[in-house]
């Protein structure tokens, strides 16, 4: 069980975010309870993100449960998802960002037992009017699943702030369900339903799940 968590908060050319640092910390603690070996990294530029993903992929192999989580600025364009490094220019283009689909393809080549990609970010194209509160999605793949906390290619995600504490809506409900002993797709469906009932984001932030997972894999499985 191996997990790479990346949270980008402080951007050089874009609005800073509040929740990624807290969300990465809290998720790392929960995954460690589930027996995952976790690497958590914050505020990575493009070269650092490429290196981190490359080393993560080297650890994957047959039978591995692999999780990749990203919180920070991001967007979807022409059906592809991109993560925005902290050094991306304004405006940025795909060549300045990291393709999620490319990471997923490489994860799938490693004969892993489970690939789970959680994207906690906006899905807004950067040329749209809103760039500010960008912040939430989730996604997965092959023996996997995908879940976005935004409804469409032009949707954004939201952060909660209570004094100095900040957290994303997606993480609020993921924390509630992630330790449950049930199929990972069913666990994410519970998260989706809770987000759908939250009055703060009703009609604004909708999680989306995509998967091809046929086996009854659970994050609680002993490895």
């Amino acid at each position: 069980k191996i997990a790479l968590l990346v949270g980008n908060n402080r951007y050089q050319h874009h609005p800073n975010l509040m929740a990624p640092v807290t969300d990465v910390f809290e998720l790392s603690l929960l995954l460690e309870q589930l027996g995952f070996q976790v690497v958590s990294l914050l505020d990575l530029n493009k070269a650092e993100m490429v290196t981190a993903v490359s080393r993560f992929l080297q650890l994957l192999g047959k039978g591995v449960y692999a999780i990749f989580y990203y919180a920070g600025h991001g967007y979807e364009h022409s059906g592809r998802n991109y993560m925005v490094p902290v050094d991306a220019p304004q405006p940025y283009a795909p060549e300045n960002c990291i393709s999620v689909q490319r990471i997923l393809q490489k994860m799938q080549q490693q004969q892993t037992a489970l690939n789970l990609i959680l994207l906690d970010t906006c899905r807004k194209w950067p040329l749209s009017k809103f760039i500010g509160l960008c912040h939430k999605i989730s996604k997965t793949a092959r023996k996997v699943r995908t879940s976005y906390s935004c409804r469409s290619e032009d949707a954004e995600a939201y952060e909660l702030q209570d004094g100095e504490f900040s957290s994303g809506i997606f993480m609020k409900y993921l924390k509630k369900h992630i330790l449950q002993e049930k199929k990972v797709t069913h666990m994410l469906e519970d998260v989706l339903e809770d987000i759908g009932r939250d009055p703060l984001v009703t009609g604004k932030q909708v999680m989306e799940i995509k998967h091809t997972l046929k086996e009854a894999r659970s994050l609680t499985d002993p490895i």
Side-chain angles (χ1 to χ4, degrees), residues 9-105:
N9 295 270
R10 298 185 179 278
Y11 283 82
Q12 298 174 18
H13 309 291
H14 304 279
N16 289 335
L17 299 173
M18 300 177 292
V21 62
T22 302
D23 290 350
V24 163
F25 175 72
E26 294 192 328
L27 182 58
S28 68
L29 296 179
L30 292 168
L31 292 177
E32 287 171 357
Q33 290 184 51
L34 292 168
F36 279 83
Q37 298 295 313
V38 183
V39 174
S40 302
L41 302 171
L42 298 174
D43 293 333
L44 302 187
N45 59 35
K46 184 180 179 183
E48 291 167 339
M49 289 186 72
V50 169
T51 298
V53 169
S54 176
R55 295 187 179 181
F56 169 67
L57 292 170
Q58 291 174 16
L59 298 174
L60 306 187
K62 187 174 181 180
V64 169
Y65 279 30
I67 294 179
F68 176 76
Y69 170 83
Y70 169 76
H73 284 305
Y75 68 96
E76 179 178 316
H77 183 60
S78 299
R80 298 186 68 85
N81 299 100
Y82 296 92
M83 300 174 290
V84 181
V86 296
D87 62 343
Q90 172 72 276
Y92 48 75
E95 57 265 26
N96 308 123
C97 302
I98 306 295
S99 167
V100 174
Q101 278 73 15
R102 187 169 298 176
I103 294 173
L104 181 55
Q105 289 170 1

Side-chain angles (χ1 to χ4, degrees), residues 11-219:
Y11 283 82
Q12 298 174 18
H13 309 291
H14 304 279
N16 289 335
L17 299 173
M18 300 177 292
V21 62
T22 302
D23 290 350
V24 163
F25 175 72
E26 294 192 328
L27 182 58
S28 68
L29 296 179
L30 292 168
L31 292 177
E32 287 171 357
Q33 290 184 51
L34 292 168
F36 279 83
Q37 298 295 313
V38 183
V39 174
S40 302
L41 302 171
L42 298 174
D43 293 333
L44 302 187
N45 59 35
K46 184 180 179 183
E48 291 167 339
M49 289 186 72
V50 169
T51 298
V53 169
S54 176
R55 295 187 179 181
F56 169 67
L57 292 170
Q58 291 174 16
L59 298 174
L60 306 187
K62 187 174 181 180
V64 169
Y65 279 30
I67 294 179
F68 176 76
Y69 170 83
Y70 169 76
H73 284 305
Y75 68 96
E76 179 178 316
H77 183 60
S78 299
R80 298 186 68 85
N81 299 100
Y82 296 92
M83 300 174 290
V84 181
V86 296
D87 62 343
Q90 172 72 276
Y92 48 75
E95 57 265 26
N96 308 123
C97 302
I98 306 295
S99 167
V100 174
Q101 278 73 15
R102 187 169 298 176
I103 294 173
L104 181 55
Q105 289 170 1
K106 292 182 178 180
M107 290 174 70
Q108 292 174 339
Q109 295 169 2
Q110 305 301 315
Q111 297 185 309
T112 48
L114 175 69
N115 292 322
L116 176 61
I117 296 182
L118 301 171
L119 300 181
D120 200 356
T121 177
C122 281
R123 297 172 70 183
K124 271 185 171 289
W125 175 236
L127 297 182
S128 69
K129 295 178 181 177
F130 179 90
I131 298 180
L133 289 179
C134 241
H135 189 105
K136 239 84 273 151
I137 294 191
S138 34
K139 174 159 188 162
T140 53
R142 186 181 74 171
K143 299 166 182 161
V144 193
R145 149 264 334 302
T146 304
S147 51
Y148 298 96
S149 59
C150 297
R151 174 182 353 199
S152 68
E153 186 172 318
D154 197 36
E156 60 260 15
Y158 295 85
E159 297 180 329
L160 300 173
Q161 186 167 17
D162 181 8
E164 295 182 356
F165 174 79
S166 298
S167 179
I169 290 287
F170 173 66
M171 187 57 63
K172 173 183 177 181
Y173 295 111
L174 183 63
K175 291 187 299 183
K176 176 181 174 182
H177 296 288
I178 195 171
L179 298 180
Q180 295 178 359
E181 189 173 346
K182 59 174 58 179
K183 186 175 179 180
V184 65
T185 50
H186 296 164
M187 180 273 291
L188 286 183
E189 287 168 358
D190 291 342
V191 177
L192 180 153
E193 291 177 2
D194 278 356
I195 291 176
R197 290 190 289 262
D198 191 310
L200 292 176
V201 295
T202 299
K204 300 175 182 178
Q205 179 174 327
V206 178
M207 178 174 155
E208 179 181 342
I209 300 174
K210 298 178 182 178
H211 73 89
T212 57
L213 182 63
K214 298 179 181 179
E215 302 90 343
R217 308 283 193 206
S218 169
L219 298 183

